[in-house]
Amino acid sequence: MATSPKLITEDGSPVSHFSLTAVQHEAHEEPFVFDIDGEFFTMQPPEDADWQVTGNITGDGGLQAFVQEIMDADDWERFSAIKLTNKQIGDLLEACRKHYGTSPGESRASRRSSRSSRRR
Protein backbone atom coordinates (compact mmCIF):
# COMPACT_ATOMS: atom_id res chain seq x y z
CA MET A 1 0.00 0.00 0.00
CA ALA A 2 1.47 3.34 -1.05
CA THR A 3 1.69 6.15 1.49
CA SER A 4 0.83 9.73 0.71
CA PRO A 5 3.74 12.15 0.53
CA LYS A 6 4.18 14.53 3.47
CA LEU A 7 3.53 18.17 2.80
CA ILE A 8 6.53 20.27 3.78
CA THR A 9 6.66 24.01 4.39
CA GLU A 10 9.32 26.26 2.87
CA ASP A 11 11.39 26.00 6.07
CA GLY A 12 11.34 22.18 5.86
CA SER A 13 8.78 21.54 8.62
CA PRO A 14 5.92 19.09 7.99
CA VAL A 15 2.47 20.64 7.53
CA SER A 16 0.17 19.95 10.46
CA HIS A 17 -3.60 19.94 9.95
CA PHE A 18 -4.37 19.95 13.66
CA SER A 19 -2.36 20.95 16.72
CA LEU A 20 -3.35 19.51 20.08
CA THR A 21 -0.93 21.92 21.73
CA ALA A 22 -2.69 24.95 20.22
CA VAL A 23 -6.13 23.68 21.21
CA GLN A 24 -4.89 22.94 24.72
CA HIS A 25 -3.79 26.53 25.16
CA GLU A 26 -6.99 28.13 23.87
CA ALA A 27 -8.54 30.33 26.50
CA HIS A 28 -11.75 29.05 28.03
CA GLU A 29 -14.48 31.32 29.17
CA GLU A 30 -14.68 32.35 32.79
CA PRO A 31 -13.93 29.39 35.09
CA PHE A 32 -16.77 27.59 36.87
CA VAL A 33 -16.66 28.74 40.49
CA PHE A 34 -19.08 27.34 43.05
CA ASP A 35 -19.44 27.56 46.80
CA ILE A 36 -20.41 25.28 49.63
CA ASP A 37 -21.19 26.99 52.93
CA GLY A 38 -19.06 30.02 52.04
CA GLU A 39 -16.04 28.06 50.74
CA PHE A 40 -15.27 28.66 47.07
CA PHE A 41 -14.00 26.08 44.59
CA THR A 42 -13.16 26.06 40.88
CA MET A 43 -13.72 23.34 38.26
CA GLN A 44 -12.14 23.17 34.83
CA PRO A 45 -14.15 22.15 31.75
CA PRO A 46 -15.10 18.45 31.93
CA GLU A 47 -13.93 17.92 28.35
CA ASP A 48 -10.40 18.87 29.49
CA ALA A 49 -10.22 15.82 31.78
CA ASP A 50 -7.59 13.22 30.92
CA TRP A 51 -9.17 10.60 28.66
CA GLN A 52 -7.79 7.77 30.79
CA VAL A 53 -9.59 9.12 33.86
CA THR A 54 -12.80 9.62 31.92
CA GLY A 55 -12.57 6.15 30.39
CA ASN A 56 -12.55 4.60 33.86
CA ILE A 57 -15.39 6.67 35.32
CA THR A 58 -17.53 3.60 36.03
CA GLY A 59 -14.67 1.73 37.77
CA ASP A 60 -13.80 1.81 41.45
CA GLY A 61 -13.13 5.40 42.44
CA GLY A 62 -13.84 6.57 38.89
CA LEU A 63 -16.22 9.39 39.75
CA GLN A 64 -13.93 10.60 42.52
CA ALA A 65 -10.94 10.55 40.15
CA PHE A 66 -12.95 12.45 37.54
CA VAL A 67 -14.00 15.19 39.98
CA GLN A 68 -10.42 15.46 41.24
CA GLU A 69 -9.24 15.73 37.62
CA ILE A 70 -11.45 18.72 36.82
CA MET A 71 -11.12 20.39 40.23
CA ASP A 72 -8.41 23.00 40.72
CA ALA A 73 -5.55 21.20 42.46
CA ASP A 74 -5.49 23.70 45.33
CA ASP A 75 -9.21 23.06 46.01
CA TRP A 76 -9.32 19.26 45.96
CA GLU A 77 -8.19 18.57 49.53
CA ARG A 78 -10.76 20.96 51.04
CA PHE A 79 -13.52 19.77 48.69
CA SER A 80 -12.92 16.06 49.29
CA ALA A 81 -13.33 16.56 53.05
CA ILE A 82 -16.95 17.76 52.58
CA LYS A 83 -19.71 15.14 52.76
CA LEU A 84 -22.03 15.37 49.75
CA THR A 85 -24.91 13.20 48.58
CA ASN A 86 -24.99 11.58 45.14
CA LYS A 87 -27.69 14.09 44.16
CA GLN A 88 -25.52 17.02 45.24
CA ILE A 89 -22.47 15.84 43.25
CA GLY A 90 -24.74 15.14 40.27
CA ASP A 91 -26.26 18.63 40.47
CA LEU A 92 -22.79 20.14 40.77
CA LEU A 93 -21.44 18.31 37.71
CA GLU A 94 -24.56 19.22 35.72
CA ALA A 95 -24.12 22.90 36.62
CA CYS A 96 -20.46 22.68 35.57
CA ARG A 97 -21.39 21.08 32.22
CA LYS A 98 -24.04 23.75 31.59
CA HIS A 99 -21.58 26.54 32.46
CA TYR A 100 -19.06 25.28 29.92
CA GLY A 101 -21.75 24.33 27.37
CA THR A 102 -20.92 20.61 27.29
CA SER A 103 -23.21 17.63 27.49
CA PRO A 104 -22.60 14.30 29.20
CA GLY A 105 -21.98 11.23 27.07
CA GLU A 106 -24.51 8.45 27.04
CA SER A 107 -23.56 5.61 29.34
CA ARG A 108 -23.43 2.00 28.15
CA ALA A 109 -26.25 1.10 30.50
CA SER A 110 -28.60 3.67 29.03
CA ARG A 111 -27.82 2.51 25.48
CA ARG A 112 -28.59 -1.12 26.36
CA SER A 113 -31.80 -0.19 28.11
CA SER A 114 -32.81 1.99 25.16
CA ARG A 115 -32.29 -0.91 22.74
CA SER A 116 -34.31 -3.30 24.88
CA SER A 117 -37.08 -0.70 25.18
CA ARG A 118 -37.32 -0.42 21.39
CA ARG A 119 -37.93 -4.15 21.00
CA ARG A 120 -41.01 -4.12 23.19
Side-chain angles (χ1 to χ4, degrees):
M1 180 173 176
T3 59
S4 300
K6 281 188 181 178
L7 297 175
I8 306 294
T9 62
E10 286 182 15
D11 70 355
S13 302
V15 173
S16 174
H17 295 102
F18 180 77
S19 172
L20 277 175
T21 305
V23 171
Q24 179 180 358
H25 295 293
E26 285 180 358
H28 288 286
E29 63 185 65
E30 182 178 320
F32 177 69
V33 177
F34 65 96
D35 73 280
I36 301 173
D37 296 330
E39 285 195 67
F40 291 85
F41 305 92
T42 303
M43 283 185 166
Q44 303 308 312
E47 71 267 16
D48 286 353
D50 184 288
W51 71 275
Q52 293 174 344
V53 171
T54 305
N56 190 30
I57 200 152
T58 58
D60 288 343
L63 180 59
Q64 182 178 2
F66 175 72
V67 173
Q68 184 175 1
E69 178 73 15
I70 64 174
M71 177 83 51
D72 270 8
D74 297 337
D75 294 348
W76 173 248
E77 192 171 320
R78 290 181 304 120
F79 178 79
S80 65
I82 298 171
K83 289 201 176 265
L84 296 175
T85 65
N86 286 326
K87 180 173 179 2
Q88 288 172 315
I89 197 71
D91 289 347
L92 175 61
L93 290 173
E94 180 63 23
C96 182
R97 282 188 203 100
K98 284 182 180 178
H99 174 81
Y100 287 114
T102 60
S103 61
E106 186 177 15
S107 72
R108 287 184 214 141
S110 63
R111 273 187 270 161
R112 272 196 305 271
S113 62
S114 295
R115 270 189 289 219
S116 62
S117 298
R118 284 186 294 207
R119 291 183 201 144
R120 290 183 188 167

